[in-house]
Amino acid sequence: MATPRRGSILTPRADDFPRWYQEVLDKAQLADNGPVRGTMVIRPYGYSLWERIQSEIDTRIKRAGAENVYLPLFIPEDYLKREAEHVEGFSPELAVVTHAGGKELTEPLVVRPTSETVFGELMAKWVQSHRDLPLLLNQWANVVRWEMRPRLFLRTSEFLWQEGHTAHATYEDAAAYARRIHLEVYRDFLRSVLALPVLVGVKTARERFAGAINTLTCEAMMGDGKALQVATSHELGQNFAKAFDMTFSDADGQRRLCWTTSWGSSTRIVGGLIMGHGDDGGLVVPPRLAPVQVVLLAVKDDPAVLAAIRDQAERLEHAGVRVRVDDNAGKGFGRRVTDWELKGVPLRLEIGPRDVEAGRFDVVRRDTGERVPTEAGATARVVPELLETVQRGLLASAQDRLAARTVSTESIEEAREAARLGFARIPWRILGEEGERSLATDAITVRCLQTADGRLPPDTVADDDLVAVVGRSY
Amino acid sequence: MATPRRGSILTPRADDFPRWYQEVLDKAQLADNGPVRGTMVIRPYGYSLWERIQSEIDTRIKRAGAENVYLPLFIPEDYLKREAEHVEGFSPELAVVTHAGGKELTEPLVVRPTSETVFGELMAKWVQSHRDLPLLLNQWANVVRWEMRPRLFLRTSEFLWQEGHTAHATYEDAAAYARRIHLEVYRDFLRSVLALPVLVGVKTARERFAGAINTLTCEAMMGDGKALQVATSHELGQNFAKAFDMTFSDADGQRRLCWTTSWGSSTRIVGGLIMGHGDDGGLVVPPRLAPVQVVLLAVKDDPAVLAAIRDQAERLEHAGVRVRVDDNAGKGFGRRVTDWELKGVPLRLEIGPRDVEAGRFDVVRRDTGERVPTEAGATARVVPELLETVQRGLLASAQDRLAARTVSTESIEEAREAARLGFARIPWRILGEEGERSLATDAITVRCLQTADGRLPPDTVADDDLVAVVGRSY
C-alpha cells in the first residue's frame, strides 16, 4: 500500500515558513485565536502535548527539590514598583483591573506578568531563620503580557508557564541552584525528551531579565535557522530581597538579606516543538514526548482487522506504549494517514485483511517514511525499540542542522551575513555592546554568551573571554 | 513510647469550629491569605493535596471521554451579556480589566468567572455537523468571582477549578452526559477517594446555576453538620446554544440547535477534606488521596535506625506506597509526631534503636491512634492492607455522622429545628417555594431535591414527588 504523498496539503516550509507554521497549527488542530486579540485557545491535541511537557518538566523540578505552590493572579500595583528595573521592564505589557465586585477599586490590580514580587512578599514572611533556607518553590500558572504582534504559542498576551522562585543564604548557593535548574531541568528535558540540542549560555546586559544580575538561557535553532529562547533562569542577586525585606537570622545570630533566583518555561515550547522538528507533512513529535506514540490504523472495516487491532493495542499498551486506535472507516484511509502525519505521531501500524492473514504488519515511521515489516507476535519488542531509534534520529538531525547552520566568524560584518541563514559565533571582545547595537538594526540579537567550547560560562568569567552566538529569533 | 496528647495545639472543634479550621490551615501549612483581599496562597502541602485531587478527577474525566483544552482568561464584556440570566447572576462578582498595554481598552474585558460564553463562541465554530457531536471538553483553570466574605479554600476571589463544557445533538444525550459526569466523576471520586458520602440531587429554581435549566449537585456533610456543595453539573438546555448560534446540520440535512452542559469542581474540595475528616489533632487525609501515605519517623539519629528507615522506605515504595522519610532529629520526636498528625498522614512508622534490635516496629494509625506492631519483614504486606482499612473506616464514620445528623421531618418548623445540627429531609410538597424563602431567613437552604429513597431524580419527575434536603451551608 502506497503512502499518500506528503506535504500536499501544507505550504512547503521553504516557500513560506510562517505560513507553514500557521497551517500546521490549524490543520493539526493545535490552537486557535481567542476572541480577545492576542489570546490563544489551546485545542485538545495541542493541550495533550502541553500536558506531556508539563509532566516531564514537573518531574524534573520535583527531583531538584522544589515544591509546587499557587499564588494569586492579581498583584497590587504598588508591589511592582518596588523593584525599579522590574517595573520599568514590564510596565508597557501590563493588564490592569480597575473595577471589581461592582465598584471602582481604590488601588488598581495588575494581572501578573510574572510573580517575583508576590513571591518576594510571601517568602519574606516564610523565611525567618537560616534553617528555612533554601526555600525552593515553583508554580504552574497563566500570566499576561500584552502583546502587540501575537503569534500562537510563541507570543501571546496570555500564556501558560511554570515559574520557579527560590531563596538562598548565599550568592554561591543561589547561583549554583539557577545553574542546576538550567542544566538538570531545562536542558535535560529539551535534549532527552524534546530531542532538541540547545545552546546554553548567559544573556548580555541588554537582553537580561528586568531585575536580574544574570540570566541563563536555553536557545534552540528552528527549522528556518532562527533562534527560539526556550527557557531562562535568573540570578536575581539581592534586588528582590531588598525590595521585599527578605531577611533571615544566620547561624551567628546576624540578620542577613537572602539571595534569590527565578526560572521559567512556557507553552512557547509547543511552538519550539513544531518549528524544531516539523516537516512539509506537518508536526513530527519525538516519541518520548508524544501523547500518542503509535496509531493503529484499520485499513478496512473488517471483523478480523478490528480483532487484530484490539490484540495489538493490548500488547503494545502492556509494553508501556501510548497507543491510539483509529478504526474510523467512515473516513478514507489516505485521509486518515495524512491526518496522523499532520499530528506527527511517531509510528503507525497499518492493519488490513491481507496483513492479518499473513500475520505481519507494516510499521511506518513518521520521521523517515520507512516501512518496517513486523511479525504480529514481535510488535511488543520491535515497536519500543523503533521508538527509541526515532528519538535518537530526531536529535541527530537537529544536531546536524545546528552544526551545519552555525558559522564561526571574526568580524561583525561576517556575523551579520551568517545570521541570515542561522547562527554566527563571534568573540565578545570583537562584537561588544556597540556591535550588539549595530546588529540589532538588522533584527539580529545576541542569543547568548558561551565559553569558547560551547559551555555555560562560570559566574566568574569576564565577558571578554566569551563567545557570542548571534542570530535572528522568535 | 507514648503518643503525645493530641489536639493540644488546636482549638477543639466543639469549642469553635471556624477557628479550628483556620488554625488547621495555618499550622498544617496548607494556605495563607494573598496580598489582595479575598485571594489565597496555596502552600506546598496544600498544593500537593490539590495535585492529587486533580489527578484523580482528571483520570475520571478522561475516562468519560472528555478532552482537556485551555481557553483565555479574558472575556469580552459583550459575551457575558448575550445570555440574560447568566450576566445577571455573575455581574456583581466580576473583575474588569480596563487598561492594557499602556492604553485604555475600547471594550473592557471581564476576567472569567466561568467560561460558558467563550466555550459557546468557540464550540459554535468547531461544531458543524452531527458527526462533530458530542463535543466533550474540559479545562483546568483559575477563575475570579469577587468575594465579600472570603474564607480560604471555601470562598476566595480567585480559585482553581476544572470546568467541563459539552455540546450534544439531543436533550436526552446532554442530560445523560451531565448525569454520567455527576455520578461517575464527582460522586465516584468523592466516595471512593475522598471517603465522603455525598447526597446527590438537583437544585431548586432558586439555587440553580445562572443560565441552567437543571443543576445536579453533590452535597457533603462537614464535621459541624453544615453542608458543603462540592461539585455541580448543569444542563444548560439550548440557552447558550441560542446565544452563540451553536448549530449543526443533522443527518437529515436540517440545521439544528445544540444542547449543552457544563460541570465543575474546585479547590473548595480541599476545604471539604479538612472539614469532612479533620479531628482535634488536625487534618485526617484518606489514604487513597494522601500525597504522603506513610511517614517513616526516626526516633533517634542513629546509623542502625537510619539504615532500617531506608530499607523500609524502599520496601514500601516498591509495594506502591507513597512514603516520606522524617529523620530530622534536630526537631524533637514529639513535635514531629504532632506535625505529621496535623498534616493528617494516614500512617506513621516509628523506628527507634530498640525497634531495630527487636526487628519489629509500631505502625500508628492517624485516624484511631491505634498502634499495630509489625514485623520488619511484613510491612510491605501489612501497610497496604492497613491503608485500605483506614480508607474504609473513614468512609464508614462519615456515613455514620451523616445518618445520625439527618432527620426526616414533616413540617417546616421541624425542619428548621433539625437544621441547627445537621440536615433535615422534608417533602417538597410540604416545603415549597414559600417554605424555602422562610427557611432562608435563618440561613437554611435547600441543598438538593432527591427521590424518597435518596437517589438523583430522573429528569422527568415533578418536584412535588421529591424530598428536599435542607441545612445550613458553607
Side-chain angles (χ1 to χ4, degrees):
Chain A
M1 185 154 324
T3 303
R5 281 191 67 76
R6 291 236 199 106
S8 48
I9 62 163
L10 295 175
T11 299
R13 284 167 306 156
D15 291 1
D16 187 342
F17 196 83
R19 188 165 164 187
W20 167 86
Y21 179 75
Q22 194 51 50
E23 289 176 356
V24 171
L25 291 178
D26 194 41
K27 295 194 172 155
Q29 304 190 341
L30 297 171
D32 217 332
N33 290 306
V36 173
R37 196 184 129 70
T39 64
M40 167 169 62
V41 171
I42 310 180
R43 301 184 68 180
Y45 188 58
Y47 200 82
S48 72
L49 292 168
W50 175 239
E51 284 180 312
R52 289 281 308 129
I53 291 169
Q54 273 197 296
S55 154
E56 292 285 343
I57 292 182
D58 193 63
T59 301
R60 286 168 176 76
I61 288 174
K62 285 175 174 151
R63 207 182 287 150
E67 297 182 296
N68 285 341
V69 294
Y70 186 78
L71 268 58
L73 174 70
F74 295 143
I75 304 180
E77 205 175 37
D78 144 70
Y79 276 35
L80 261 91
K81 294 183 179 154
R82 292 200 212 160
E83 214 292 325
E85 281 185 31
H86 192 65
V87 70
E88 197 188 311
F90 282 105
S91 273
E93 303 177 356
L94 299 179
V96 184
V97 173
T98 54
H99 292 73
K103 286 185 189 157
E104 184 165 359
L105 297 169
T106 50
E107 190 190 9
L109 301 176
V110 165
V111 182
R112 65 179 161 222
T114 178
S115 307
E116 275 73 10
T117 59
V118 206
F119 272 91
E121 176 78 7
L122 287 158
M123 287 164 87
K125 190 170 148 186
W126 293 332
V127 171
Q128 296 301 328
S129 141
H130 62 99
R131 280 183 295 270
D132 301 323
L133 296 174
L135 181 58
L136 311 174
L137 302 176
N138 177 63
Q139 81 170 350
W140 291 94
N142 54 343
V143 285
V144 170
R145 298 179 187 176
W146 214 251
E147 189 56 62
M148 289 302 128
R149 293 179 308 279
R151 199 179 292 185
L152 295 183
F153 286 120
L154 300 175
R155 292 182 178 280
T156 47
S157 290
E158 180 192 2
F159 55 91
L160 302 182
W161 79 342
Q162 63 64 219
E163 48 177 321
H165 296 271
T166 70
H168 305 259
T170 63
Y171 164 79
E172 289 74 20
D173 194 45
Y177 197 74
R179 291 176 79 88
R180 178 175 177 189
I181 289 292
H182 210 63
L183 300 176
E184 294 178 19
V185 176
Y186 298 140
R187 187 180 61 176
D188 181 65
F189 162 74
L190 291 166
R191 249 189 108 80
S192 72
V193 180
L194 213 60
L196 281 181
V198 282
L199 302 181
V200 289
V202 301
K203 287 288 185 190
T204 60
R206 184 189 167 99
E207 300 284 334
R208 207 174 277 154
F209 177 75
I213 60 167
N214 193 23
T215 288
L216 317 182
T217 182
C218 286
E219 304 276 330
M221 185 185 276
M222 301 293 96
D224 59 352
K226 284 167 95 168
L228 184 75
Q229 173 183 310
V230 200
T232 48
S233 307
H234 315 293
E235 296 171 34
L236 302 174
Q238 297 184 307
N239 294 342
F240 287 88
K242 259 180 221 139
F244 291 92
D245 197 22
M246 201 191 300
T247 61
F248 65 98
S249 63
D250 212 343
D252 60 9
Q254 291 293 306
R255 205 84 206 152
R256 295 204 157 81
L257 265 183
C258 293
W259 297 82
T260 68
T261 81
S262 69
W263 27 279
S265 63
S266 74
T267 33
R268 169 165 256 227
I269 292 175
V270 180
L273 163 68
I274 299 168
M275 297 193 299
H277 292 299
D279 65 19
D280 287 349
L283 202 55
V284 177
V285 185
R288 290 195 199 151
L289 185 77
V292 180
Q293 296 176 307
V294 180
V295 60
L296 303 174
L297 267 178
V299 174
K300 216 177 142 181
D301 188 4
D302 170 289
V305 166
L306 298 182
I309 286 207
R310 272 194 304 275
D311 172 53
Q312 287 299 328
E314 207 170 291
R315 285 165 192 257
L316 290 172
E317 273 170 4
H318 193 258
V321 177
R322 295 186 287 274
V323 162
R324 179 79 64 89
V325 167
D326 177 353
D327 54 7
N328 178 10
K331 196 162 125 184
F333 178 69
R335 170 80 188 285
R336 287 187 288 145
V337 167
T338 308
D339 280 356
W340 288 111
E341 290 201 336
L342 264 169
K343 287 191 153 68
V345 172
L347 299 177
R348 68 173 185 271
L349 226 151
E350 301 182 350
I351 306 189
R354 266 174 300 170
D355 305 305
V356 175
E357 239 166 74
R360 51 194 292 156
F361 317 111
D362 273 358
V363 181
V364 190
R365 283 175 65 164
R366 169 64 183 87
D367 59 337
T368 59
E370 189 193 343
R371 297 183 159 267
V372 183
T374 306
E375 299 293 326
T379 49
R381 181 180 51 77
V382 172
V383 164
E385 283 172 16
L386 213 45
L387 289 170
E388 280 304 298
T389 307
V390 171
Q391 181 79 30
R392 280 193 303 273
L394 289 177
L395 179 62
S397 46
Q399 268 163 337
D400 290 347
R401 178 180 62 213
L402 178 61
R405 298 178 89 165
T406 302
V407 177
S408 284
T409 63
E410 292 291 332
S411 78
I412 295 171
E413 291 321 308
E414 266 186 278
R416 196 190 306 272
E417 187 54 32
R420 287 171 178 275
L421 295 173
F423 296 166
R425 295 174 58 82
I426 175 169
W428 177 253
R429 59 170 199 283
I430 296 176
L431 184 62
E433 289 188 1
E434 206 175 311
E436 189 180 16
R437 273 194 301 276
S438 158
L439 290 181
T441 59
D442 286 324
I444 297 164
T445 48
V446 177
R447 305 315 308 155
C448 64
L449 299 174
Q450 300 187 315
T451 61
D453 58 350
R455 285 179 301 112
L456 187 60
D459 261 16
T460 47
V461 81
D463 285 1
D464 271 357
D465 293 330
L466 297 176
V467 169
V469 182
V470 308
R472 293 164 306 142
S473 74
Y474 284 96
Chain B
M1 188 154 322
T3 305
R5 283 191 65 78
R6 293 237 198 102
S8 48
I9 61 163
L10 294 175
T11 300
R13 285 169 304 156
D15 291 1
D16 188 342
F17 197 83
R19 188 165 165 187
W20 167 86
Y21 179 75
Q22 194 52 51
E23 288 176 359
V24 171
L25 291 178
D26 194 42
K27 295 192 171 156
Q29 303 190 343
L30 297 171
D32 218 332
N33 290 306
V36 173
R37 196 184 130 70
T39 64
M40 167 168 63
V41 172
I42 310 181
R43 301 184 67 180
Y45 188 57
Y47 200 82
S48 72
L49 292 168
W50 175 240
E51 283 180 311
R52 289 281 309 130
I53 292 169
Q54 272 195 299
S55 154
E56 292 283 346
I57 292 181
D58 193 62
T59 301
R60 285 169 175 76
I61 288 174
K62 284 175 174 150
R63 205 182 290 149
E67 296 183 296
N68 285 340
V69 295
Y70 186 78
L71 268 57
L73 174 70
F74 295 143
I75 304 180
E77 205 174 36
D78 144 71
Y79 276 33
L80 262 90
K81 295 183 180 154
R82 292 201 214 159
E83 213 292 326
E85 280 185 32
H86 192 66
V87 70
E88 196 190 310
F90 283 105
S91 273
E93 303 177 356
L94 299 179
V96 184
V97 173
T98 53
H99 292 72
K103 286 185 189 156
E104 185 165 358
L105 297 169
T106 50
E107 191 191 8
L109 302 175
V110 166
V111 183
R112 66 180 159 220
T114 178
S115 306
E116 273 73 10
T117 59
V118 207
F119 273 90
E121 176 78 6
L122 287 158
M123 288 164 88
K125 190 168 148 188
W126 293 332
V127 171
Q128 296 300 328
S129 142
H130 63 98
R131 280 183 296 271
D132 300 324
L133 295 174
L135 181 57
L136 311 174
L137 302 175
N138 177 62
Q139 82 171 348
W140 291 94
N142 53 345
V143 285
V144 170
R145 297 179 187 177
W146 213 250
E147 191 54 63
M148 288 302 128
R149 293 177 307 277
R151 198 179 291 186
L152 295 182
F153 286 119
L154 300 176
R155 291 182 179 281
T156 47
S157 290
E158 180 193 2
F159 54 91
L160 303 181
W161 79 342
Q162 63 63 219
E163 48 177 321
H165 297 270
T166 69
H168 307 259
T170 63
Y171 163 80
E172 290 73 19
D173 193 44
Y177 197 74
R179 292 176 80 88
R180 179 176 177 189
I181 290 292
H182 210 63
L183 300 176
E184 294 178 19
V185 176
Y186 299 140
R187 187 179 63 176
D188 182 64
F189 162 74
L190 291 166
R191 250 189 107 79
S192 72
V193 180
L194 212 61
L196 281 181
V198 283
L199 303 181
V200 288
V202 300
K203 287 289 187 189
T204 60
R206 183 189 169 99
E207 301 283 335
R208 210 175 274 154
F209 178 75
I213 59 165
N214 193 24
T215 288
L216 317 182
T217 183
C218 285
E219 304 277 330
M221 184 186 276
M222 300 293 98
D224 60 351
K226 284 166 95 167
L228 185 75
Q229 174 182 309
V230 200
T232 49
S233 306
H234 315 293
E235 296 171 34
L236 302 174
Q238 296 183 309
N239 294 341
F240 288 87
K242 261 180 222 142
F244 291 91
D245 197 22
M246 201 192 298
T247 60
F248 66 99
S249 64
D250 211 344
D252 59 9
Q254 291 294 306
R255 206 82 206 151
R256 296 205 157 79
L257 266 183
C258 294
W259 297 82
T260 68
T261 80
S262 69
W263 27 278
S265 62
S266 73
T267 33
R268 168 166 257 228
I269 293 175
V270 180
L273 163 67
I274 300 169
M275 296 193 298
H277 292 300
D279 65 19
D280 287 350
L283 202 56
V284 177
V285 186
R288 290 195 199 152
L289 184 78
V292 181
Q293 296 177 307
V294 180
V295 59
L296 302 173
L297 266 178
V299 174
K300 218 177 142 180
D301 188 2
D302 171 289
V305 165
L306 299 183
I309 286 206
R310 274 194 303 274
D311 172 53
Q312 286 298 329
E314 208 170 290
R315 284 165 192 256
L316 290 173
E317 272 168 4
H318 193 257
V321 177
R322 295 186 287 274
V323 162
R324 178 78 65 87
V325 167
D326 177 353
D327 54 7
N328 177 10
K331 196 161 124 184
F333 178 70
R335 171 79 188 285
R336 287 187 287 146
V337 167
T338 308
D339 280 356
W340 289 111
E341 291 201 335
L342 265 169
K343 288 190 151 68
V345 172
L347 298 176
R348 67 174 187 272
L349 226 150
E350 300 181 351
I351 307 190
R354 266 176 299 173
D355 304 305
V356 175
E357 238 168 75
R360 51 194 291 158
F361 317 110
D362 273 357
V363 181
V364 190
R365 284 174 64 163
R366 169 64 183 86
D367 60 335
T368 58
E370 189 193 343
R371 299 184 157 265
V372 184
T374 305
E375 298 294 325
T379 50
R381 181 180 51 75
V382 172
V383 164
E385 283 172 15
L386 214 44
L387 289 170
E388 280 303 298
T389 307
V390 171
Q391 182 79 29
R392 281 193 303 273
L394 290 177
L395 179 62
S397 45
Q399 269 164 335
D400 290 348
R401 177 179 64 214
L402 178 60
R405 297 178 89 164
T406 302
V407 178
S408 284
T409 63
E410 291 291 332
S411 79
I412 296 173
E413 290 322 306
E414 265 186 280
R416 194 189 308 272
E417 185 56 31
R420 287 171 178 274
L421 296 173
F423 295 167
R425 295 173 59 81
I426 175 171
W428 177 252
R429 61 171 197 283
I430 295 177
L431 184 62
E433 290 189 0
E434 204 175 312
E436 189 181 15
R437 274 196 300 278
S438 158
L439 290 180
T441 60
D442 286 322
I444 298 164
T445 48
V446 177
R447 306 315 309 157
C448 65
L449 300 174
Q450 299 187 315
T451 61
D453 58 351
R455 284 178 303 112
L456 187 59
D459 260 16
T460 47
V461 80
D463 286 1
D464 271 358
D465 293 330
L466 298 176
V467 170
V469 182
V470 307
R472 293 164 305 144
S473 75
Y474 282 96

